Amino acid sequence: MCGIVGYIGNRDAYDILIKGLHRLEYRGYDSAGVAIIDPDNRLNIYKSRGKVDDLENFCQSKNVSGSTGIAHTRWATHGEPNDINAHPHYSASGKIALVHNGTIENYNVLKEALQLQGCVFKSETDTEVLVQLIEYIKTSNRCTLVDAVREALKEVIGAYAIAVVDTDNPDTIIGARKSSPLVVGIGDGETFLASDATPIIDYTDKVVYLNDDEIAIINRNQDLKIITVDNVPTTIDIHTLRLSVSQLEKGGYPHFMLKEIFEQPRTIHDCIRGRIGNSGSKVTLSGVLENREHFQNAHRIIIVACGTSWHAALIGKRLIQEIARIPVEVEYASEFRYSNPILTPNDTVIAISQSGETADTLAAIQMAKKCGAFVYGVCNVVGSSIARATDSGTYIHVGPEIGVASTKAFTGQVTVLTMLALAMGQLRGTVKDEEAAKITDALRSLPKLIRQTLKLNDEIEKLSGIYTYVHNFLYLGRGYNYPSALEGALKLKEISYIHAEGYPAAEMKHGPIALIDHELPTVVIAPNDELHEKIISNIQQVKARGGSVIAVVTKGDKTIAEIADHTLEIPEVPESISPVIVSIPLQLLAYHIAVKKGCNVDMPRNLAKSVTVE
Ligand code: F6R
């Protein structure tokens, strides 16, 4: 949540900061701001409610000159989204400005203490406390800015990534992190700071990922220096980015979400590349091979995740139990971390996260590691906090996902979990060669099958016109596709604001059936599988009560075509990989309904892509 950018160098900071904020807007978009030190050493701060475009309009006739600056796009935690609560926040003297991603949990205590010293607060935010505290320490201890930041951070309980500028130190930006991401980009005579590498990639591919409790001292005229909050210098580990600018653009599509849906043939190809060969049943995941004892001997696997990643985890559970015969539990990371879980070194924990920054998932990992469990990550963002906090892992390699609603990451996660289940099954000898070959063949054909399924786009666009203004939807699925129903419902509600519930189809008769009438459409996921006959009965139960049915069926399913109101035909696929194919029409349905309703599909209200707060 919230995006931070900083720049110091020989160019005008403003354009770089604004472009960076646009890249980070997926992290939050309820207000934005910049603070730039101008050539006369004045600190100019501009901020406004709304998106980065609103900030740009606001800044049009303002003095934005200067080559040292910080900027922020906000997802509100403390205080409503308005101009005053927008970042950057500044100190009483107006000399120090700060942007922050995270939550200062003890801000009330700190605020009261500062108020007793005469500090007056302008905003309702936790962040303003930090900048006032830094100035208070700097003035009362007569210390350097760096020491003041260090001392202030020692007082803070909570999560933060911050960037600080000070007119007493116009050639310096200070960055620091704890539990919220921060990356330093090292250019030629210029340095960048950002919540992720996307604002940096246009200028340099050399980056340093800050670790928890580290402070970066970025000086225009000196090399980057990193120290801990206890003032111990740390070694600087420079990484080379493998990210291209074109991956961050819409490429002719009206929205990132549609682009990302249509990218899936390629992203799934990238996800399986090098992990299964052109033929045969062998799956090679280096993370599994290097840690074989944790998969061979695991008594139990616990998967922790949130949101869409949690839905992928439910599919992973079935796959691992079926193929590798290890008992699996799936937990919401936010519940798991506070549940006093019973974990032993014989447990293997798998953490799934697209962003690799989800605060609850990160906390669950830390808890599992403390208990001695081996933790394996399934992440998309390379170098993210979760990727670095886990003992080992497998990247899904689907490229940057910018649309707030997860699409290609979900199919990548399910694909990696399928390969993980196979790799574990092969290690443990629980999967027969011909069974493994059936699944690896299906994985190889996924890009082609997704391409075929995407041809439903026009049909779904027309269909969405019928359902644009309904208020509720029910999604039903069974077996491997019960989680697909949950995911389909989540996609619809988050981008179209239509209430939608996902249910295991057979559970309908235990309650939700009472909701069914002609105003409640039901999406039934009904490909040809073991439970096909049973799901036909579920469709009949809906029809008998006047409900309309959109059924996702295997091509040529005449039985369901006769009873459902609409059928969306997908190609024949083995049951275990059907969730990947099924998710395509569900993503498209949610997308087209949301677009018809006039919703901002890439930036739905109240949401952010990276949930770095509790
Ligand atoms: C929904 C969505 C969210 C995320 C959730 C976890 O489309 O994107 O539900 O899945 O916030 O995020 P990650 O996977 O980044 O940990």
Side-chain angles (χ1 to χ4, degrees):
M1 318 314 242
C2 300
I4 290 176
V5 198
Y7 174 79
I8 190 160
N10 37 34
R11 308 188 225 192
D12 278 340
Y14 178 76
D15 291 341
I16 293 168
L17 296 174
I18 290 291
K19 192 168 175 189
L21 287 185
H22 277 298
R23 290 268 167 81
L24 291 180
E25 220 170 359
Y26 73 88
R27 299 178 67 89
Y29 34 81
D30 58 45
S31 49
V34 289
I36 299 174
I37 299 177
D38 76 9
D40 297 324
N41 208 26
R42 282 180 307 221
L43 180 62
N44 294 311
I45 300 179
Y46 307 113
K47 37 194 201 166
S48 76
R49 188 198 162 114
K51 301 213 162 49
V52 179
D53 282 342
D54 298 305
L55 174 67
E56 276 188 273
N57 288 337
F58 178 67
C59 288
Q60 250 167 20
S61 53
K62 306 278 191 301
N63 169 17
V64 291
S65 62
S67 56
T68 305
I70 56 176
H72 188 267
T73 177
R74 179 170 187 242
W75 185 88
T77 55
H78 294 74
E80 65 169 284
N82 59 26
D83 296 354
I84 294 172
N85 290 332
H87 299 213
H89 289 282
Y90 49 94
S91 61
S93 70
K95 286 179 164 187
I96 305 177
L98 178 145
V99 289
H100 168 221
N101 166 208
T103 315
I104 309 294
E105 286 169 16
N106 59 337
Y107 81 103
N108 255 334
V109 180
L110 296 172
K111 188 170 181 173
E112 277 165 23
L114 287 165
Q115 278 168 330
L116 285 176
Q117 301 303 321
C119 277
V120 177
F121 286 84
K122 296 167 278 298
S123 76
E124 302 154 86
T125 64
D126 52 336
T127 303
E128 191 186 350
V129 173
L130 191 48
V131 71
Q132 299 266 25
L133 180 62
I134 291 170
E135 178 156 273
Y136 176 75
I137 294 173
K138 185 174 171 239
T139 316
S140 43
N141 292 6
R142 296 186 186 191
C143 63
T144 62
L145 176 67
V146 179
D147 283 342
V149 171
R150 274 197 321 100
E151 291 306 321
L153 292 179
K154 283 189 193 165
E155 302 289 320
V156 158
I157 299 172
Y160 55 78
I162 57 166
V164 186
V165 289
D166 174 12
T167 52
D168 286 345
N169 299 269
D171 293 324
T172 303
I173 297 181
I174 295 187
R177 81 155 264 176
K178 180 175 202 156
S179 304
S180 295
L182 203 56
V183 185
V184 181
I186 302 173
D188 187 9
E190 54 188 357
T191 311
F192 308 81
L193 193 65
S195 298
D196 70 28
T198 59
I200 297 173
I201 186 69
D202 299 83
Y203 314 101
T204 176
D205 62 355
K206 300 278 171 283
V207 295
V208 177
Y209 296 100
L210 283 197
N211 293 312
D212 277 352
D213 295 318
E214 283 184 349
I215 298 173
I217 304 160
I218 302 167
N219 185 288
R220 190 191 307 279
N221 308 312
Q222 292 166 16
D223 287 344
L224 172 68
K225 199 170 153 202
I226 298 180
I227 56 169
T228 67
V229 277
D230 295 320
N231 207 9
V232 179
T234 62
T235 43
I236 294 177
D237 198 1
I238 300 179
H239 296 254
T240 304
L241 288 173
R242 278 194 231 122
L243 189 69
S244 75
V245 174
S246 67
Q247 287 176 301
L248 305 173
E249 285 162 357
K250 285 191 202 144
Y253 286 91
H255 299 100
F256 280 110
M257 182 177 175
L258 192 64
K259 176 192 175 219
E260 287 158 8
I261 292 173
F262 271 84
E263 271 176 350
Q264 289 174 103
R266 187 184 51 73
T267 56
I268 296 301
H269 173 80
D270 291 346
C271 179
I272 60 178
R273 193 174 47 197
R275 293 163 170 175
I276 55 173
N278 292 334
S279 61
S281 59
K282 187 95 199 92
V283 176
T284 310
L285 294 179
S286 53
V288 174
L289 292 177
E290 285 157 15
N291 299 283
R292 55 174 65 224
E293 70 283 5
H294 293 293
F295 294 102
Q296 228 156 7
N297 308 329
H299 290 185
R300 181 175 66 144
I301 287 181
I302 299 156
I303 314 184
V304 292
C306 302
T308 287
S309 300
W310 185 81
H311 297 153
L314 293 177
I315 299 166
K317 169 183 169 142
R318 284 193 78 101
L319 286 160
I320 295 169
Q321 292 195 159
E322 194 87 23
I323 299 171
R325 307 305 296 156
I326 309 174
V328 182
E329 292 166 23
V330 174
E331 299 271 359
Y332 284 116
S334 54
E335 290 295 319
F336 178 79
R337 62 184 288 195
Y338 293 113
S339 66
N340 194 10
I342 303 166
L343 282 168
T344 72
N346 293 323
D347 291 321
T348 288
V349 171
I350 299 177
I352 308 177
S353 175
Q354 185 287 126
S355 61
E357 301 296 346
T358 301
D360 286 320
T361 310
L362 199 52
I365 291 168
Q366 274 144 5
M367 170 177 268
K369 283 179 83 173
K370 241 190 232 156
C371 298
F374 171 75
V375 187
Y376 199 81
V378 175
C379 292
N380 186 33
V381 178
V382 176
S384 56
S385 302
I386 291 177
R388 289 183 297 133
T390 43
D391 295 304
S392 181
T394 303
Y395 282 115
I396 62 173
H397 285 320
V398 299
E401 190 179 65
I402 292 167
V404 164
S406 188
T407 52
K408 62 176 179 171
F410 174 72
T411 52
Q413 289 164 343
V414 175
T415 304
V416 161
L417 289 165
T418 311
M419 293 189 286
L420 201 53
L422 279 172
M424 285 185 220
Q426 287 170 342
L427 269 184
R428 291 164 58 86
T430 52
V431 60
K432 292 205 183 79
D433 240 15
E434 64 267 33
E435 181 54 25
K438 221 166 95 188
I439 303 173
T440 46
D441 280 346
L443 286 172
R444 276 187 281 268
S445 63
L446 269 179
K448 188 180 85 201
L449 296 173
I450 296 172
R451 224 170 280 121
Q452 284 169 17
T453 311
L454 285 168
K455 291 191 183 139
L456 287 169
N457 186 41
D458 290 349
E459 189 181 333
I460 293 174
E461 209 233 297
K462 279 193 208 113
L463 182 65
S464 66
I466 304 173
Y467 295 101
T468 310
Y469 296 105
V470 300
H471 296 295
N472 300 287
F473 255 94
L474 188 61
Y475 282 68
L476 301 178
R478 300 188 72 143
Y480 278 101
N481 284 309
Y482 154 52
S484 309
L486 297 179
E487 176 58 8
L490 177 62
K491 282 301 80 102
L492 185 72
K493 67 185 135 190
E494 68 183 327
I495 59 169
S496 73
Y497 320 138
I498 294 173
H499 169 245
E501 283 197 51
Y503 252 90
E507 271 295 302
M508 181 182 62
K509 57 186 175 290
H510 298 290
I513 199 164
L515 295 169
I516 290 175
D517 63 15
H518 67 281
E519 288 183 0
L520 179 87
T522 301
V523 176
V524 185
I525 302 154
N528 282 347
D529 58 24
E530 249 190 316
L531 298 170
H532 190 245
E533 289 306 315
K534 310 238 178 253
I535 211 150
I536 292 176
S537 316
N538 300 135
I539 295 176
Q540 267 152 347
Q541 288 157 11
V542 175
K543 288 306 304 168
R545 284 155 185 85
S548 59
V549 170
I550 303 168
V552 178
V553 298
T554 304
K555 202 171 174 57
D557 187 331
K558 297 221 167 50
T559 317
I560 295 186
E562 271 171 27
I563 47 176
D565 298 79
H566 314 278
T567 51
L568 298 171
E569 292 194 335
I570 58 166
E572 178 99 48
V573 274
E575 195 175 340
S576 58
I577 63 146
S578 62
V580 172
I581 298 299
V582 156
S583 67
I584 307 293
L586 303 185
Q587 293 166 355
L588 288 169
L589 184 66
Y591 171 80
H592 286 298
I593 289 179
V595 169
K596 288 224 160 61
K597 273 191 83 174
C599 300
N600 185 341
V601 294
D602 282 339
M603 293 184 206
R605 69 183 180 206
N606 305 338
L607 289 176
K609 185 80 185 153
S610 249
V611 187
T612 56
V613 294
E614 268 201 64

